[in-house]
Amino acid sequence: KISKIVLERNAAPYIYGRDGSTLNKIGVASQCDVFMREGDIEVDIGGDDAHRKAAETYIHFVGRQRLGPVKITEDEMRSCKHITLLRVPSRLKGFIVGVKAKTLRILESSTGTVMFFGSVEKTPDDGENEEDNEYLFILS
């Protein structure tokens, strides 16, 4: 099966990445065929239902990064079965990301995942402060 999603014009280059690199990472992590012509706003996703849904979710999360820090709701967390959260102390984030995000990109390519830092939106009475709520999101 093939599904098609239409991106916002200003989000499309971000999702596509340099020479299609971001789109390729999404395809590998979601185990789908993901295709988009450079400069286009339509993405074709081929694969079984569960993997196509994962690819659509990954595209959505990656697109949100361009707007600032990513916050994912608890409902989004429950609906995404292929996501792992790793709490990383703020003082160690630089080691994981590396210079110009090179270390993070090496980790992604060697594990077939998409990774980014973000937080989970919590209710105000959950007792966690914002720094305690920051994670490395691993999409696979």
Side-chain angles (χ1 to χ4, degrees):
K1 290 184 174 182
I2 296 176
S3 56
K4 184 179 300 248
I5 59 173
V6 178
L7 304 172
E8 295 176 26
R9 173 83 42 207
N10 55 358
Y14 192 82
I15 298 298
Y16 188 77
R18 180 178 287 165
D19 299 325
S21 61
T22 304
L23 202 65
N24 289 335
K25 284 191 299 190
I26 291 169
V28 170
S30 64
Q31 300 176 23
C32 281
D33 294 319
V34 183
F35 177 78
M36 176 183 179
R37 284 187 171 79
E38 187 171 9
D40 201 353
I41 61 170
E42 291 185 355
V43 180
D44 295 322
I45 305 168
D48 66 35
D49 291 346
H51 291 136
R52 284 195 334 270
K53 183 178 181 338
E56 291 172 10
T57 301
Y58 298 174
I59 288 169
H60 178 68
F61 288 161
V62 169
R64 284 164 57 180
Q65 291 179 62
R66 71 183 175 79
L67 302 174
V70 176
K71 287 190 177 190
I72 295 177
T73 66
E74 289 181 336
D75 286 341
E76 288 174 313
M77 285 296 304
R78 280 190 288 277
S79 71
C80 187
K81 295 176 179 20
H82 305 284
I83 190 167
T84 302
L85 272 65
L86 180 64
R87 191 181 303 257
V88 177
S90 294
R91 62 184 167 75
L92 299 178
K93 285 182 185 177
F95 292 107
I96 293 172
V97 174
V99 177
K100 296 185 180 180
K102 187 171 183 170
T103 304
L104 190 63
R105 300 301 162 242
I106 290 169
L107 287 169
E108 288 176 324
S109 66
S110 65
T111 59
T113 60
V114 174
M115 299 181 191
F116 59 89
F117 282 96
S119 61
V120 178
E121 284 186 15
K122 302 274 188 175
T123 56
D125 59 341
D126 67 7
E128 287 190 18
N129 66 41
E130 195 65 28
E131 185 164 318
D132 290 340
N133 191 21
E134 293 182 316
Y135 299 93
L136 176 63
F137 286 77
I138 305 170
L139 310 176
S140 62

